Amino acid sequence: MEAIPKRARGEVAWQWSRTADTQRALLDAARAIFVEQGFTEASIAQIVERAGSSVGSLYHHFGGKSELFIALWQEHQIAQQRAANEAVARAKAVGVTDPAELFEAGTRAVLDGCWVRRDLVALFFAGDGPPGFEVMRRQRTSDWIGQNDMLLGLSDSTFDELYVRVLTSMIGECSRFVMLAKSRRQANQIIEASIGYVRRLTADGPWAPSREPVKTSAVENVVTASARRRTRAAG
């Protein structure tokens, strides 16, 4: 293979750097405009003006406004996943093996990221996104549930699936409150409260050896008894 001349290698590196800088400028501009205007009201003209770029460059690098929105979403998800993975890895490195404690470490990292990137979290929760975005969100939630399932070492039973879905949904709701916090101090207080709720729900998790599996008949008995009490009260 013929070696690339030093000058040519330098030119390639410069071109790549310029491309990366252009993409970053467009993403940062899109982030600002989407947050200010909302996805629907934002225009490509506003984005390229804010980025100091051109319409042609935007279409060349991303394909359009929807693709910019999705790129911001993917960046946020990657950052959240990386932060959670690193937090769990740090916990394991100091000897933590309890699934609940590992889950707590990952949750704290995710909630902290919701404060750091609160403008994006608000944007993604607003319900104003490109066609197909809600499908992507639902798929991401499903993937997140699966990851939590593996981290907690749950079985494929109906009750364990319900358990992990409740936990995951609660963290999603907690992230809303973190995003709405008026200061870092308040955000930290909300994160600590959220971790407290996680601890309550994981205090006797499905991985605990002493936990007896709930029988369907027992659940049915509880529901039936409750229905009878309501009937007597109504009568």
Side-chain angles (χ1 to χ4, degrees):
M1 181 180 294
E2 183 178 354
I4 300 175
K6 291 183 179 180
R7 182 179 178 184
R9 288 199 297 270
E11 288 174 354
V12 170
W14 179 78
Q15 290 288 346
W16 173 252
S17 175
R18 188 174 66 171
T19 296
D21 288 345
T22 300
Q23 291 174 341
R24 187 73 263 160
L26 287 166
L27 284 169
D28 290 344
R31 177 175 179 169
I33 297 298
F34 288 152
V35 169
E36 292 171 7
Q37 306 287 337
F39 173 77
T40 301
E41 295 300 320
S43 70
I44 288 177
Q46 291 173 313
I47 294 171
V48 297
E49 181 181 1
R50 180 73 65 95
S53 188
S54 66
V55 173
S57 182
L58 186 152
Y59 280 112
H60 171 72
H61 289 291
F62 292 98
K65 187 172 76 168
S66 294
E67 288 79 5
L68 274 168
F69 188 97
I70 298 303
L72 288 170
W73 159 258
Q74 291 173 336
E75 274 196 340
H76 174 65
Q77 294 304 315
I78 290 171
Q80 291 287 74
Q81 186 68 60
R82 182 184 298 116
N85 289 346
E86 290 175 352
V88 171
R90 286 194 298 271
K92 288 181 176 180
V94 296
V96 176
T97 58
D98 181 68
E101 292 184 36
L102 295 175
F103 182 79
E104 179 183 320
T107 298
R108 187 182 295 278
V110 166
L111 293 178
D112 188 69
C114 288
W115 168 255
V116 172
R117 291 176 294 279
R118 55 195 178 278
D119 58 331
L120 286 177
V121 175
L123 174 65
F124 301 140
F125 269 131
D128 178 21
F133 177 62
E134 286 305 312
V135 175
M136 291 183 63
R137 281 192 60 187
R138 287 195 294 271
Q139 181 59 53
R140 173 55 188 155
T141 299
S142 179
D143 293 343
W144 188 18
I145 289 170
Q147 290 165 3
N148 290 340
D149 194 329
M150 292 180 62
L151 180 61
L152 292 170
L154 303 179
S155 71
D156 58 356
S157 72
T158 298
F159 295 102
D160 281 4
E161 181 180 354
L162 172 62
Y163 177 80
V164 74
R165 284 182 179 274
V166 168
L167 272 175
T168 304
S169 297
M170 185 191 73
I171 296 166
E173 290 304 312
C174 290
S175 69
R176 290 177 182 264
F177 282 85
V178 172
M179 172 263 292
L180 292 170
K182 299 187 182 302
S183 66
R184 178 77 220 204
R185 180 180 179 183
Q186 186 182 47
N188 287 342
Q189 291 172 337
I190 293 170
I191 290 172
E192 291 307 315
S194 301
I195 294 300
Y197 295 138
V198 168
R199 287 173 180 167
R200 291 183 187 181
L201 287 175
T202 58
D204 187 27
W207 56 85
S210 62
R211 179 178 179 268
E212 292 295 329
V214 179
K215 297 180 180 179
T216 304
S217 58
V219 175
E220 290 174 345
N221 289 337
V222 170
V223 173
T224 301
S226 178
R228 287 173 179 170
R229 285 195 296 272
R230 289 197 299 270
T231 300
R232 286 197 296 269

